[in-house]
Amino acid sequence: MGIAIDNVKFQGSVVVADQTNDAIRRITHSGANTTVESISRVPQRGIIDGPLDVAVFSRPRSVAVDSRGDIIVAEQSNCIRKIDLTAGRVLTIAGKPQLSGKLDGVGENALFHGPSSVCVGPDDSIFVVDSGNKSIRKIAPNGAVSTIIGDVPFGDRSGPISAVNLDSPQAIHVSGDDLLISQAHTISLVHNGNVKLLVDSDTGRDAPGPSGTTKVVGSFGAPVFDATGQFVIFPDLFTHQICYVSVDIDYPPNCHVKLLAGKLNKYGRVDGPPSESRFSKPFALARSANTLYISDNYNHCIRAINDINHLLRL
């Protein structure tokens, strides 16, 4: 389940891509009350644009919210769709449903292969993890799709984006001009046209790190920055942990990962203090002010950790 925060029309609500139920849902809080509602209203699988009481989705994997409060959806059906909440309609903005490929272009003239994650930049450009094509694509506000990272068959894992190759990209997050990309075994920061490895589970996996660190194995899910941009928080699906790392780490990255919540290789569903909590294949993260929301996939629920700014600095 992909999740995103809506700070535009429904302040602080959590939007959920409910892939199993082919639905887009919203979680809102009011005092002690929590409400879950379906934004997509037709409980069936398909690819139909139109009014919300007609439109249907096919295995939505990720969601993001733009500056107008509209919801961007990455579907396993190889297209990117938008829920225009003002008009009450769903439309396909890029790609052709059920047709896979790798082709830049405008709107339906562009092709994707298994888009798995979306996020929205400050100018409403949409960044897409095109997993099947091992690349990062960008949809400009005018609908033009371009490939920005991953078009290098024998590229490096870090360095200028024009020379970087991606291996199994899974999720993406944007903050200002910076991008975070999670892959099977790495978390990378894209800053000023360069890619820097922050986490690399293939490096130093068996070497003990400094006191207070934890091991990670991957696969890594959707990362987020903390409020200051100093730390990157990410889920490790294989070890069932929520971890974090400083953006200023030195190589090898794996030796500097710290534990925020959960316990190494201990899965379950336990609420409570972060050190005593348990998760099962946590995948997506979203942050609203000082609260971190977690898509706990195998427990089929959305969890929350409060006061993360304090926890990151203990």
Side-chain angles (χ1 to χ4, degrees):
M1 293 183 290
I3 56 177
I5 304 299
D6 181 353
N7 284 319
V8 182
K9 292 192 174 183
F10 296 83
Q11 189 70 28
S13 67
V14 182
V15 181
V16 181
D18 189 349
Q19 182 173 351
T20 302
N21 290 311
D22 302 296
I24 308 300
R25 309 176 78 177
R26 184 188 301 278
I27 303 171
T28 55
H29 304 279
S30 178
N33 298 319
T34 299
T35 302
V36 180
E37 63 174 333
S38 290
I39 299 172
S40 54
R41 300 170 185 167
V42 182
Q44 68 183 54
R45 179 174 298 173
I47 308 167
I48 301 175
D49 288 344
L52 286 174
D53 56 0
V54 172
V56 293
F57 293 85
S58 179
R59 301 188 67 79
R61 302 178 68 181
S62 175
V63 286
V65 180
D66 68 14
S67 65
R68 297 177 65 248
D70 294 336
I71 299 170
I72 311 300
V73 182
E75 279 197 341
Q76 194 166 316
S77 59
N78 300 317
C79 61
I80 308 300
R81 303 174 73 188
K82 176 190 284 188
I83 302 176
D84 184 332
L85 291 176
T86 301
R89 299 184 63 87
V90 176
L91 61 154
T92 300
I93 59 174
K96 292 183 179 179
Q98 307 296 10
L99 181 61
S100 64
K102 185 176 182 181
L103 182 65
D104 290 341
V106 178
E108 65 175 13
N109 292 319
L111 296 179
F112 299 86
H113 185 188
S116 62
S117 181
V118 288
C119 62
V120 178
D123 66 347
D124 279 340
S125 290
I126 301 166
F127 297 90
V128 181
V129 174
D130 193 358
S131 293
N133 288 315
K134 298 184 179 181
S135 61
I136 305 300
R137 316 282 294 279
K138 179 180 179 180
I139 306 173
N142 65 1
V145 178
S146 59
T147 301
I148 61 171
I149 305 176
D151 237 350
V152 184
F154 301 100
D156 298 320
R157 297 198 301 170
S158 60
I161 60 173
S162 60
V164 167
N165 182 45
L166 300 178
D167 179 24
S168 303
Q170 300 192 53
I172 194 167
H173 173 72
V174 64
S175 178
D177 294 327
D178 294 338
L179 291 174
L180 294 173
I181 303 171
S182 68
Q183 301 187 69
H185 299 289
T186 64
I187 303 286
S188 299
L189 168 67
V190 183
H191 176 71
N192 287 339
N194 287 282
V195 178
K196 173 185 178 181
L197 285 180
L198 298 180
V199 180
D200 181 3
S201 65
D202 287 334
T203 302
R205 180 181 295 181
D206 298 321
S211 176
T213 64
T214 188
K215 292 182 181 179
V216 289
V217 179
S219 170
F220 300 131
V224 294
F225 284 104
D226 78 321
T228 67
Q230 179 182 355
F231 296 105
V232 173
I233 313 168
F234 64 95
D236 185 343
L237 281 75
F238 285 179
T239 63
H240 313 287
Q241 301 178 105
I242 309 300
C243 306
Y244 67 100
V245 66
S246 169
V247 298
D248 297 322
I249 56 91
D250 295 318
Y251 203 82
N254 188 51
C255 296
H256 297 264
V257 175
K258 294 186 177 182
L259 179 64
L260 178 64
K263 189 172 183 179
L264 179 66
N265 295 326
K266 299 293 184 181
Y267 65 88
R269 181 177 173 180
V270 179
D271 289 339
S275 61
E276 299 176 13
S277 61
R278 298 293 181 268
F279 304 88
S280 186
K281 302 289 185 183
F283 177 72
L285 304 181
R287 183 183 59 80
S288 178
N290 203 19
T291 299
L292 182 72
Y293 293 94
I294 302 155
S295 170
D296 194 357
N297 271 11
Y298 277 31
N299 283 319
H300 307 285
C301 62
I302 308 299
R303 315 275 294 278
I305 303 175
N306 296 316
D307 200 20
I308 57 168
N309 294 339
H310 172 69
L311 294 172
L312 292 170
R313 289 159 179 83
L314 289 177

